[in-house]
């Protein structure tokens, strides 16, 4: 479909509404349940069959990635059309068809740095949710100082040979493929890193889930022992992976800032003010009775509103081609604090029910809130630690000098 002229946008909106009415299944217009989130890939089980149908239909339209080029399976929409699509999806409260590191991080980087063969090979399956990706960045000795990574990649003529370990690899045990930073020259730091992709089923790859304090295991330790990777799976130039890594981190921090954090608890969790009214009580005017808690909830709501508007502005600036690298660091830091503050308020507003962890004595949403509060402790580490992001802001935004 081509709707480039302004007068055609109304026609485009009508066509979107008609398509959604015909193709968005009824249950996909209800609040998303935690156990019905679709990450795609070959191991996806689709607890709700309509989730599969919704993904297939959105993927065929390319509307899981509406602005990506149509020749790679994307929607091929311009910015105005993509905005209309999002508006119409929100109107019917449609669930996201797909959650995907491929959509949020790897795909945008590949469109920018990959060659034509790689784009044609990997992007269509990302759009349709056929391949689930994980991120091979952090290592036991290279988290905050990512450029210090030591996972070794040797050129063996007809293939690359990888040995090393990654850690905090989100969903590595469920992913099909990994985008991975490796050291191809140990005599230099940033200029000795390359960016590879490979199949997680390759011999020598092992993922071990890490159990978190919240009880879940979304992160893994990932080990590479004599892993052979075809030469054509190097993205970009040899030893030029740091540039791709930084760009991808911008995409990651932007997606996290836009609401990609874990810890809030998922579906079924009410806003903190609702729990406070139920568990703490209200005064004669119907407000939360505890004045201090009421003030902190109000401050959080104001902060959240301002943050949401700033994210919206930043997103529009990024779509307009403006540099968002430093903004991403600011927003990631702010998003981590905001999410942790919200989780603290939720537990406090629940009163003694906020102590719930397991068993029949506590409601499911109370237990979710408690586990979410514990999970939120990782927000200031994942996707770039708060300390690193503050350093970026100090040096590159404020122009402060190194501490002497």
């Amino acid at each position: 479909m081509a709707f480039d002229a302004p007068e055609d946008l109304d026609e485009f909106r009508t066509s979107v509404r008609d398509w959604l009415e015909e193709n968005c299944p009824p249950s996909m217009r209800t609040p998303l349940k935690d156990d019905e989130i679709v990450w795609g890939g070959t191991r996806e089980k689709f607890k709700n069959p309509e989730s599969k149908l919704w993904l297939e239909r959105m993927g065929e339209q390319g509307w899981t990635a509406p602005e990506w080029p149509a020749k790679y399976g994307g929607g091929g929409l311009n910015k105005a059309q993509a905005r209309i699509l999002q508006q119409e999806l929100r109107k019917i409260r449609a669930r996201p068809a797909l959650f995907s590191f491929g959509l949020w991080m790897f795909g945008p980087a590949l469109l920018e740095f990959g060659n034509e063969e790689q784009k044609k090979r990997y992007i269509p399956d990302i759009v349709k949710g056929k391949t689930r990706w994980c991120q091979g960045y952090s290592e036991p000795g290279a988290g905050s100082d990512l450029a210090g990574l030591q996972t070794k990649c040797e050129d063996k003529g007809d293939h690359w040979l990888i040995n090393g370990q990654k850690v905090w690899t989100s969903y590595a045990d469920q992913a099909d493929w990994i985008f991975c930073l490796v050291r191809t020259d140990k005599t230099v730091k940033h200029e000795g890193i390359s960016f590879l992709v490979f199949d997680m089923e390759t011999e020598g790859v092992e993922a071990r889930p890490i159990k978190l304090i919240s009880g879940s295991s979304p992160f893994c330790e990932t080990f590479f022992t004599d892993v052979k990777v075809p030469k054509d799976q190097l993205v970009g130039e040899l030893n030029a992976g740091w540039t791709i890594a930084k760009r991808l981190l911008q995409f990651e921090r932007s997606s996290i800032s836009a609401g990609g954090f874990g810890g809030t608890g998922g579906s079924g969790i009410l806003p903190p003010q609702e729990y406070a009214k139920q568990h703490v009580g209200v005064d004669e005017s119907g407000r939360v009775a505890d004045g201090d808690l009421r003030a902190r909830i109000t401050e959080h709501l104001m902060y959240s509103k301002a943050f949401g508007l700033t994210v919206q502005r930043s997103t529009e600036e990024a779509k307009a081609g403006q540099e968002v690298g430093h903004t991403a660091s600011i927003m990631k830091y702010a998003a981590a604090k905001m999410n942790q503050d919200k989780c603290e308020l939720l537990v406090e507003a629940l009163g003694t029910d906020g102590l719930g962890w397991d068993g029949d004595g506590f409601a499911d949403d109370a237990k979710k809130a408690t586990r979410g509060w514990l999970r939120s402790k990782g927000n200031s580490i994942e996707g770039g630690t708060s300390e690193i992001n503050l350093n970026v802001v100090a040096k590159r935004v404020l122009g402060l000098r190194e501490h002497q």
Side-chain angles (χ1 to χ4, degrees):
M1 290 184 288
F3 296 88
D4 295 329
E7 60 268 24
D8 289 337
L9 290 179
D10 286 342
E11 184 182 349
F12 177 73
R13 186 182 295 277
T14 300
S15 73
V16 170
R17 286 177 179 169
D18 291 345
W19 188 88
L20 291 176
E21 185 58 35
E22 184 176 348
N23 290 280
C24 185
S27 66
M28 295 298 102
R29 307 180 194 206
T30 63
L32 180 61
K33 299 177 181 177
D34 294 344
D35 57 356
E36 293 184 11
I37 292 175
V38 173
W39 286 93
T42 57
R43 305 180 199 187
E44 182 64 66
K45 294 180 179 174
F46 295 103
K47 181 177 181 182
N48 182 342
E50 289 191 337
S51 298
K52 183 174 186 292
L53 188 63
W54 181 224
L55 173 59
E56 290 173 347
R57 289 173 175 175
M58 286 289 281
E60 283 299 322
Q61 287 286 104
W63 284 358
T64 54
E67 292 186 63
W68 289 7
K71 65 178 179 178
Y72 305 128
L77 303 184
N78 60 36
K79 290 179 173 53
Q81 293 166 347
R83 192 178 303 115
I84 288 173
L85 172 61
Q86 294 306 318
Q87 290 169 349
E88 295 303 319
L89 286 165
R90 283 197 294 270
K91 277 183 182 176
I92 64 170
R93 299 182 178 183
R95 296 182 183 181
L98 178 65
F99 288 68
S100 164
F101 294 156
L103 287 178
W104 302 332
M105 293 187 276
F106 176 56
L110 190 64
L111 284 170
E112 198 167 329
F113 296 99
N115 60 40
E116 189 67 10
E117 190 278 332
Q118 290 169 338
K119 294 174 187 176
K120 289 180 177 176
R121 179 180 179 186
Y122 300 118
I123 290 181
D125 283 350
I126 292 175
V127 173
K128 294 182 178 179
K130 292 184 176 180
T131 307
R132 183 169 181 174
W133 290 81
C134 62
Q135 179 188 37
Y137 268 36
S138 295
E139 297 184 4
S144 298
D145 180 20
L146 179 60
L149 63 91
Q150 295 298 319
T151 292
K152 185 168 67 175
C153 175
E154 300 173 90
D155 186 346
K156 293 296 184 181
D158 62 344
H159 66 273
W160 306 105
L161 187 68
I162 303 175
N163 282 282
Q165 179 190 349
K166 299 291 178 179
V167 72
W168 308 121
T169 320
S170 301
Y171 305 111
D173 56 331
Q174 300 173 48
D176 300 302
W177 279 65
I178 186 171
F179 47 92
C180 189
L181 295 179
V182 293
R183 180 152 300 285
T184 38
D185 186 343
K186 60 183 179 182
T187 64
V188 286
K189 190 172 183 181
H190 297 82
E191 293 76 18
I193 294 171
S194 297
F195 192 105
L196 288 180
V197 298
F198 51 94
D199 193 326
M200 290 293 284
E201 291 294 324
T202 308
E203 185 177 352
V205 178
E206 180 186 4
R208 301 176 188 170
I210 302 170
K211 192 167 186 177
L212 303 184
I213 191 173
S214 64
S216 61
S217 301
F219 302 120
C220 294
E221 294 178 290
T222 310
F223 300 87
F224 309 126
T225 306
D226 291 334
V227 177
K228 295 180 179 179
V229 176
K231 298 295 288 283
D232 63 357
Q233 291 174 197
L234 171 73
V235 177
E237 299 295 324
L238 183 67
N239 295 326
W242 186 242
T243 298
I244 304 174
K246 288 189 297 180
R247 186 68 172 140
L248 191 142
L249 283 173
Q250 292 174 9
F251 294 125
E252 180 185 22
R253 288 167 186 171
S254 296
S255 66
I256 288 175
S257 301
F261 264 134
T264 311
S267 60
I269 300 293
L270 298 175
Q273 62 270 28
E274 296 302 321
Y275 285 127
K277 289 177 181 176
Q278 293 176 19
H279 296 270
V280 179
V282 297
D283 62 15
E284 64 281 357
S285 61
R287 303 178 303 176
V288 175
D290 185 320
D292 176 65
L293 178 60
R294 184 174 70 238
R296 284 185 287 124
I297 290 175
T298 302
E299 183 180 22
H300 169 72
L301 293 175
M302 293 171 64
Y303 190 98
S304 298
K305 181 67 175 177
F307 181 81
L309 291 172
T310 307
V311 167
Q312 186 177 347
R313 187 193 69 192
S314 177
T315 301
E316 293 300 321
E317 290 174 350
K319 289 180 178 177
Q322 295 185 28
E323 175 62 48
V324 297
H326 301 158
T327 303
S329 291
I330 296 170
M331 300 306 289
K332 196 276 171 182
Y333 173 80
K337 183 179 184 308
M338 185 179 68
N339 197 56
Q340 290 173 333
D341 287 347
K342 180 179 181 179
C343 291
E344 293 275 358
L345 287 169
L346 282 169
V347 171
E348 185 174 348
L350 281 162
T352 54
D353 283 1
L355 298 173
W357 170 262
D358 204 355
D360 299 330
F362 299 95
D364 287 344
D365 57 343
K367 288 184 285 191
K368 279 185 180 179
T370 305
R371 290 171 182 262
W373 169 69
L374 290 167
R375 169 66 180 85
S376 73
K377 301 301 179 186
N379 294 164
S380 47
I381 298 175
E382 57 197 312
T385 67
S386 291
E387 289 78 8
I388 289 295
N389 281 300
L390 287 174
N391 273 338
V392 171
V393 174
K395 292 179 185 176
R396 298 176 189 170
V397 179
L398 301 177
L400 302 179
R401 294 188 299 176
E402 291 275 3
H403 175 69
Q404 299 296 315

